[in-house]
Amino acid sequence: MRKILVVLLVLGQVAVLAYLGGEREWIRHNGERIFLRTAPVDPRDPFRGDFVRLSYSLNSIDVTRFRSSVSAESLKRETIVYAVLKPSSTDVYQLDYLSDRKPSGGLFLRGRVSRDASGGQIQVRYGIEQYFVQQGSGIEIERKRGSGDDLQIPMEVELAVGRSGRAVLTNYRWSRIGIRLEQIAGANEDRGEGAPPRSPVLIVTLKNVSDSLLQLADNEMHCGFSLQTEGDTGRRYSMANTRCNPFVFKPGDVINLEPGEEYRVELDTALPRWYVLQEGVAGSASIAAAAPNERFRMVYRPPVVMSGMDSNATLLWQGELTSPAFNVRGQID
């Protein structure tokens, strides 16, 4: 009897693995093909061969984009959630909203909450965070991606998505634009004993790494850029200045970038333009005063193109581009 139970257990495990393998192959051949923009890290696993570890904006989602009858803060680790996607003007998809209810239609990814929601962010994994590559090529991919304060070029990963929301990685390409973050002043300056920390001055560079002309958009207030918190401290922050919400396209804001050209901007986060609000705390303050232990990212997003303006924005790059994380002590991931 015992031997029979062992045999049945083994056969059951084999059946589950066969089903999962068969499902992946079905999705690979029949799933809907889309691209997601991502940045890889940590290219090698010596025990499993070369792979690229991937992170997406979908891995860290603001609680304001969660739709449900329950609060986002109630989400616990391993809760199944669904990231509903929408297309941009290109074939790169973006998040529309997150829900704990399976959508009745449309394109979506099935994921699991990777840790209890905190700091206004929901951390989610989808099973597409590793992409295995040919032996020896992981290092080359990581070199091109860049790291730290070097120019970083995101990968755009091709997915096959099944009706259940499960996805399989099938290929990749490189984004047409790269980003570089440099910190030229901040709390690491010698400001004298007892001096309060200072919010950093950042240089953000956007570079056209494609072989054709593309367009960005920004204005005198630098509404093309916004701060995004990582939620490390469990506190929730939002930008106090809302004059850029939304950033609406104007032809005069267009920046033409030929292949190899850069758009370089200096952003002093000590200025009121970059002040933040902490949930539950009255008044806004600089990130050095309000969040000295929090990590932030600078995010570039193109403006909203209103109806009738499409002809003036035919080459406008779409999507969002996220910088490495930084804090007021001068550390850059």
Side-chain angles (χ1 to χ4, degrees):
M1 184 67 179
R2 191 176 208 178
K3 289 183 178 179
I4 294 175
L5 289 175
V6 171
V7 170
L8 290 175
L9 180 61
V10 171
L11 290 175
Q13 291 175 334
V14 170
V16 169
L17 292 174
Y19 170 78
L20 292 176
E23 183 185 30
R24 287 179 58 85
E25 284 305 306
W26 190 94
I27 293 172
R28 185 185 301 276
H29 289 96
N30 299 285
E32 185 169 351
R33 298 301 175 104
I34 67 169
F35 281 92
L36 289 181
R37 188 169 293 116
T38 182
V41 295
D42 191 16
R44 288 183 64 85
D45 179 346
F47 300 103
R48 299 177 68 186
D50 277 26
F51 70 87
V52 177
R53 193 180 300 277
L54 304 167
S55 62
Y56 306 80
S57 59
L58 301 175
N59 289 131
S60 183
I61 299 174
D62 193 275
V63 294
T64 58
R65 306 184 77 176
F66 180 67
R67 298 183 186 177
S68 177
S69 58
V70 302
S71 68
E73 287 75 11
S74 68
L75 292 175
K76 300 299 181 182
R77 185 179 179 186
E78 298 302 325
T79 300
I80 295 175
V81 289
Y82 301 90
V84 179
L85 305 178
K86 60 182 179 181
S88 66
S89 61
T90 64
D91 53 357
V92 177
Y93 276 66
Q94 302 174 58
L95 177 72
D96 188 4
Y97 64 90
L98 185 74
S99 178
D100 60 344
R101 297 181 179 179
K102 184 178 179 180
S104 58
L107 194 66
F108 58 89
L109 296 180
R110 181 181 187 272
R112 289 183 181 271
V113 176
S114 54
R115 70 180 187 214
D116 295 358
S118 65
Q121 300 293 314
I122 306 169
Q123 307 297 325
V124 185
R125 68 180 188 277
Y126 303 93
I128 53 173
E129 287 77 19
Q130 291 183 358
Y131 179 49
F132 282 87
V133 297
Q134 185 177 358
Q135 188 75 24
S137 63
I139 295 297
E140 178 59 25
I141 290 174
E142 183 69 3
R143 183 198 63 78
K144 183 166 183 177
R145 190 279 279 182
S147 61
D149 58 1
D150 295 332
L151 181 75
Q152 297 201 20
I153 305 174
M155 292 172 69
E156 294 175 350
V157 176
E158 184 183 48
L159 302 176
V161 184
R163 291 189 295 268
S164 67
R166 296 185 186 275
V168 177
L169 292 165
T170 59
N171 208 338
Y172 72 91
R173 67 189 184 192
W174 294 102
S175 173
R176 299 178 64 205
I177 189 168
I179 187 170
R180 182 181 184 186
L181 178 73
E182 303 167 81
Q183 190 162 319
I184 62 174
N188 57 337
E189 293 180 311
D190 183 8
R191 296 172 52 81
E193 186 175 352
R198 187 195 191 283
S199 297
V201 177
L202 305 173
I203 297 291
V204 181
T205 302
L206 304 179
K207 183 176 181 178
N208 181 355
V209 294
S210 74
D211 55 4
S212 59
L213 173 72
L214 60 79
Q215 293 176 336
L216 306 178
D218 196 21
N219 59 16
E220 66 280 356
M221 286 188 60
H222 299 304
C223 288
F225 298 90
S226 60
L227 280 174
Q228 174 180 291
T229 179
E230 288 293 277
D232 295 326
T233 63
R235 302 182 181 94
R236 186 178 177 187
Y237 299 94
S238 60
M239 292 194 67
N241 190 313
T242 59
R243 290 176 62 188
C244 291
N245 296 339
F247 175 28
V248 178
F249 175 79
K250 295 179 181 178
D253 298 334
V254 169
I255 301 153
N256 291 310
L257 289 184
E258 296 287 350
E261 286 190 335
E262 298 177 342
Y263 175 59
R264 180 180 169 93
V265 59
E266 181 176 307
L267 305 175
D268 186 349
T269 61
L271 298 177
R273 162 73 175 91
W274 305 103
Y275 279 15
V276 296
L277 293 166
Q278 181 181 337
E279 187 176 50
V281 177
S284 63
S286 68
I287 61 174
N293 297 315
E294 187 72 45
R295 290 186 305 155
F296 291 86
R297 297 181 189 271
M298 194 63 72
V299 182
Y300 169 77
R301 294 185 182 91
V304 177
V305 180
M306 307 298 286
S307 178
M309 293 185 175
D310 302 55
S311 60
N312 295 312
T314 54
L315 298 177
L316 190 66
W317 187 85
Q318 296 294 325
E320 67 178 39
L321 201 60
T322 305
S323 80
F326 67 91
N327 59 25
V328 299
R329 292 184 296 278
Q331 297 175 343
I332 297 178
D333 286 356

